[in-house]
Amino acid sequence: MRKNIVAGNWKMNTTVAEGVELAREVNAAVEKASELKCEVIVGVPFTHLTAVSQVLTAVKLSAENCADHTSGAYTGEVSAPMVASTGAQYVILGHSERREYYHETNAMLKTKVDLALEAGLKVIFCCGESLAQRKDGTYFDVIKAELVESLFHLSAEQMSNIVIAYEPIWAIGTGETATSDQAEEIHAFIRQLIADKYGKQVADDTTILYGGSCKPSNAPELFAKPDIDGGLIGGASLKADSFMGIVTAF
Ligand code: 13P
């Protein structure tokens, strides 16, 4: 059966020293908490991975991106094997900020997914629609294309190393959360797409996270939905107490 996950995505925030301190606080709180009903992950900038890895005992570590090549003359890029060599277990791929500001396409993300899995990383794969796509009703097609074109070449066995994060772009950093019913509708749709392609067992075993202005006050209602298995948290992951307020929401 699938596991619940709450993952932080720090984005481009904190110095290394600040990040190590935040990771220490989160790790201590997770260690102290008894009977947590979810796995906890922190997604941190590349520069922080090695140092943060050394202070985590009860929390898993993720990068926020990796390159679409393994090694070579790609100045400024960081490859999946490099990420894995820091001790990270996960990488976030396909975040809408990467798609929008750095022009990442479904085809490029397919390559990144393959390289990440090859390097032994698990992938937190983000999908989601813009406000315009929500309004013009094309959002089901947009989300389907993101999944089909970047993930559905994988084997059922490889899918066990994929976590999906549904992040409506209009809800990211805006304070406007999708209602729990809106989120559940998409999560159920995603699970059905997986079931159609891989069968019910794989679909039931796939963790699907919600992201977009998730906070301690709205997490319990979101996480109570049958197809919402946790959250990918931006702003509220930058303070240990608000992040833990979401971690303990199950
Ligand atoms: P916020 O929680 O700040 O809205 O960000 C969500 C997100 O983009 C997580 O990846």
Side-chain angles (χ1 to χ4, degrees):
M1 200 50 191
R2 61 184 177 265
K3 60 182 165 192
N4 296 324
I5 294 176
V6 173
N9 174 10
W10 294 359
K11 308 191 179 183
M12 197 173 71
N13 292 295
T14 74
T15 63
V16 174
E18 289 164 351
V20 168
E21 183 50 35
L22 174 56
R24 253 189 232 285
E25 284 176 41
V26 169
N27 189 71
V30 169
E31 266 190 343
K32 215 170 78 186
S34 55
E35 293 183 32
L36 277 186
K37 296 201 178 70
C38 63
E39 178 172 294
V40 182
I41 303 171
V42 287
V44 311
F46 289 134
T47 44
H48 300 31
L49 286 168
T50 301
V52 167
S53 155
Q54 279 154 23
V55 305
L56 297 181
T57 55
V59 173
K60 300 276 196 266
L61 180 62
S62 180
E64 300 174 14
N65 179 31
C66 71
D68 56 346
H69 297 277
T70 303
S71 65
Y74 301 99
T75 302
E77 287 295 292
V78 176
S79 72
M82 291 174 181
V83 168
S85 74
T86 67
Q89 299 91 356
Y90 285 88
V91 60
I92 298 167
L93 291 176
H95 194 280
S96 58
E97 289 148 19
R98 302 286 327 163
R99 293 174 187 266
E100 184 178 350
Y101 308 143
Y102 304 98
H103 315 295
E104 295 194 1
T105 61
N106 292 346
M108 186 192 293
L109 288 166
K110 178 182 181 192
T111 303
K112 290 191 179 198
V113 166
D114 287 341
L115 294 178
L117 294 178
E118 227 169 80
L121 295 168
K122 294 177 193 287
V123 173
I124 301 172
F125 183 84
C126 304
C127 61
E129 81 284 3
S130 66
L131 186 58
Q133 291 160 339
R134 163 75 41 180
K135 285 189 168 153
D136 69 17
T138 56
Y139 54 106
F140 287 107
D141 293 338
V142 169
I143 292 163
K144 182 174 180 182
E146 288 177 338
L147 299 178
V148 168
E149 292 174 27
S150 302
L151 294 182
F152 279 12
H153 63 292
L154 298 175
S155 68
E157 195 189 333
Q158 286 176 310
M159 279 300 282
S160 68
N161 290 314
I162 303 286
V163 171
I164 292 174
Y166 167 58
E167 300 206 312
I169 299 168
W170 47 274
I172 296 177
T174 58
E176 188 175 341
T177 324
T179 66
S180 55
D181 286 338
Q182 282 175 320
E184 170 61 20
E185 180 186 37
I186 302 295
H187 282 235
F189 170 70
I190 292 170
R191 203 176 302 287
Q192 188 57 49
L193 289 174
I194 299 171
D196 292 346
K197 170 75 184 171
Y198 294 101
K200 187 169 184 312
Q201 190 62 54
V202 173
D204 283 346
D205 288 348
T206 302
T207 298
I208 308 178
L209 309 179
Y210 168 78
S213 299
C214 187
K215 39 189 187 273
S217 58
N218 58 27
E221 188 186 332
L222 286 159
F223 296 176
K225 291 291 183 186
D227 290 296
I228 302 182
D229 310 314
L232 181 57
I233 318 300
S237 72
L238 293 171
K239 290 269 183 299
D241 56 353
S242 55
F243 188 54
M244 288 308 295
I246 299 170
V247 167
T248 53
F250 283 101

